[in-house]
Amino acid sequence: MRFLLRISGLIDAVNNGIGKLVYWLVLVAVVVSAGNAVIRYSLHYSSNAWLELQWYLFSAIFLLCSGYTFLRNEHIRIDIVLGRFSRRVQCMVDIFGIVVFLFPMAILIMWLSWPMFWDSFITKEMSSDAGGLIRWPAKILVPAGFFLLTMQAVSELIKRIAFLAGLIDEPGEKMHSHS
């Protein structure tokens, strides 16, 4: 189990690093969006490439930070009932949710999105909008984001099992603190 906890720590470190790096994409997205608006309204010039870049950046932020969000336990959950139970029961519910819902959904989306990316990459798919961007960089974000989420789910599963086994005190940074 100690080996698995080291793997969990490595996964946590990767998602934490990616999350902190992707924070900077928020600034880039704001600058691109503001610059695009200023140019459009002051110079009466617009570019589909800049609009698509905004969409790509938003997609990157949303998808690449999904694992980081799970690591930080900041994902959306309904704690009206669960918050009343002990940490052990919360862990058991989390384990059930990870195994029964998160793994199948994330792996299925990752599996189904890979061929869409690959086809786009091989065919050098371009946006159908005039002056638009190449599509594969946006399409690789889907399997990459769900891969990071799946890996973080593995880490969270390891930590919750270790908690139930009495090997660690707390399974994450905070657990169900939004009651």
Side-chain angles (χ1 to χ4, degrees), residues 145-163:
F146 280 94
F147 174 77
L148 292 170
L149 179 60
T150 301
M151 290 298 95
Q152 193 58 47
V154 168
S155 174
E156 298 305 317
L157 185 62
I158 291 167
K159 289 185 279 192
R160 279 155 178 79
I161 291 169
F163 174 75

Side-chain angles (χ1 to χ4, degrees), residues 6-20 68 71 152 155 159:
R6 283 196 298 270
I7 290 173
S8 173
L10 179 63
I11 293 168
D12 290 355
V14 167
N15 268 318
N16 191 51
I18 289 171
K20 289 184 177 184
Y68 177 74
L71 166 66
Q152 193 58 47
S155 174
K159 289 185 279 192

Side-chain angles (χ1 to χ4, degrees), residues 7 12 23 57 73-74 92 94 98-99 105 108-109 120 133 142 157 159 174:
I7 290 173
D12 290 355
Y23 274 172
L57 290 168
N73 203 20
E74 293 291 335
M92 288 186 263
D94 283 348
I98 289 168
V99 171
M105 177 272 312
L108 181 66
I109 292 172
S120 180
L133 300 175
V142 177
L157 185 62
K159 289 185 279 192
K174 62 183 184 178

Side-chain angles (χ1 to χ4, degrees), residues 10 34 90 122 127:
L10 179 63
Q90 290 175 7
I122 293 300
S127 169

